[in-house]
Amino acid sequence: MFINHFSISWQSCLSLAGLSVTMALAGCNNMPNIAAPDTSPIHTPAINHPASSNITATKCPPFNPEQTMCTAQYDPVCVKIKTGSVVSYRTAGNACSACGTTSAISYVKGQCP
């Protein structure tokens, strides 16, 4: 009687293990293949910057990483960055992340040209 009960339990365990492996493999086949986004900054000369037209740039507040938390919302802005005497521009994902460095000066809505 013990041997018959043991063989039924053993068969149940194998069936559950097989079902688990099948479900795991089926789930892996349905994962989409998504290309990585291009995250390289865009640098343009100052004369091509949107802020040189009639659009008013928003000044970045003083950088304080301890009191700043940004969301991942995508609403692109063009950021003016000054490193030493060099001024450059790059597209940031949103206004909060645009001012996420001490070198950020200001930003305007939209991507850099």
Side-chain angles (χ1 to χ4, degrees):
M1 184 152 178
F2 174 73
I3 295 173
N4 189 23
H5 180 63
F6 179 73
S7 67
I8 292 173
S9 296
W10 183 248
Q11 289 173 347
S12 297
C13 287
L14 282 178
S15 295
L16 286 174
L19 180 62
S20 297
V21 169
T22 302
M23 290 176 60
L25 291 175
C28 292
N29 288 336
N30 293 330
M31 295 179 69
N33 188 9
I34 300 173
D38 180 18
T39 58
S40 59
I42 299 173
H43 298 283
T44 58
I47 55 173
N48 291 336
H49 186 260
S52 63
S53 63
N54 291 335
I55 300 173
T56 304
T58 303
K59 184 178 177 185
C60 287
F63 178 64
N64 187 349
E66 295 173 358
Q67 295 181 351
T68 304
M69 180 184 286
C70 299
T71 64
Q73 172 187 349
Y74 185 70
D75 187 13
V77 294
C78 186
V79 188
K80 181 178 182 180
I81 298 171
K82 185 172 183 181
T83 307
S85 62
V86 177
V87 176
S88 61
Y89 301 90
R90 71 172 176 88
T91 300
N94 59 39
C96 181
S97 64
C99 296
T101 65
T102 55
S103 58
I105 299 172
S106 62
Y107 63 90
V108 294
K109 277 190 125 351
Q111 295 183 354
C112 296

